[in-house]
Amino acid sequence: METAEAQERSAYSLRNAGDTEGALGAYQRAADAYAREGDTLGEAHAVRHVGDILRGLERYHEADRRYERALVLYEARQDRLDLDLANALRGYALSLEAQGKEATAFWQRAHTLYQAAGVEAGVAESRSRPTR
């Protein structure tokens, strides 16, 4: 059985090669392996990528479940990278917006985290989102 890290590297390569379905499966296997290993940060990262891919496929309800899981995992860890949390918030906000749902609070929190991390692209994107 491949390690979680190996599955994640494979998923990354598949996604870069344009094999969306292959990447989706590999990221899910990586998330499952991280969960078995008790690596909640690894699981959160892999699950977020599953959410990103599902959102790209317009499978929003499935994506939302993954983002919600990633957010729970990130929030439980004080040693997380706030940039990882910001990226999960961003993905969830994009998914919610695509469904016509409210996402302002997620964008605001992502904005704060992107600003603290000095990620100008994230700051600009989150600042440009509509507020209700």
Side-chain angles (χ1 to χ4, degrees):
M1 182 183 296
E2 277 189 289
T3 66
E5 291 88 1
Q7 285 286 346
E8 193 166 13
R9 283 192 302 275
S10 174
Y12 181 82
S13 294
L14 289 165
R15 193 170 185 195
N16 281 345
D19 183 355
T20 304
E21 289 298 328
L24 179 61
Y27 272 121
Q28 187 59 62
R29 287 188 300 278
D32 294 343
Y34 281 124
R36 282 191 304 276
E37 294 171 6
D39 181 346
T40 56
L41 288 178
E43 180 186 356
H45 189 260
V47 167
R48 177 178 60 84
H49 281 287
V50 171
D52 291 343
I53 292 169
L54 289 168
R55 177 175 45 84
L57 295 171
E58 299 181 358
R59 292 165 56 181
Y60 301 115
H61 297 291
E62 292 173 78
D64 291 351
R65 287 196 308 275
R66 289 355 184 266
Y67 289 127
E68 290 162 3
R69 174 71 179 151
L71 291 172
V72 165
L73 293 168
Y74 282 135
E75 294 287 359
R77 294 288 299 262
Q78 294 300 311
D79 59 339
R80 70 173 182 258
L81 294 177
D82 284 344
L83 181 56
D84 288 337
L85 176 58
N87 288 336
L89 290 162
R90 174 191 178 271
Y92 193 30
L94 288 168
S95 181
L96 292 171
E97 282 182 350
Q99 299 170 74
K101 296 179 181 177
E102 175 60 40
T104 302
F106 297 102
W107 280 118
Q108 289 172 339
R109 183 131 186 250
H111 177 81
T112 300
L113 294 168
Y114 282 133
Q115 205 164 34
V119 178
E120 288 304 316
V123 170
E125 180 184 31
S126 57
R127 181 183 296 131
S128 74
R129 303 322 281 193
T131 57
R132 294 183 184 179

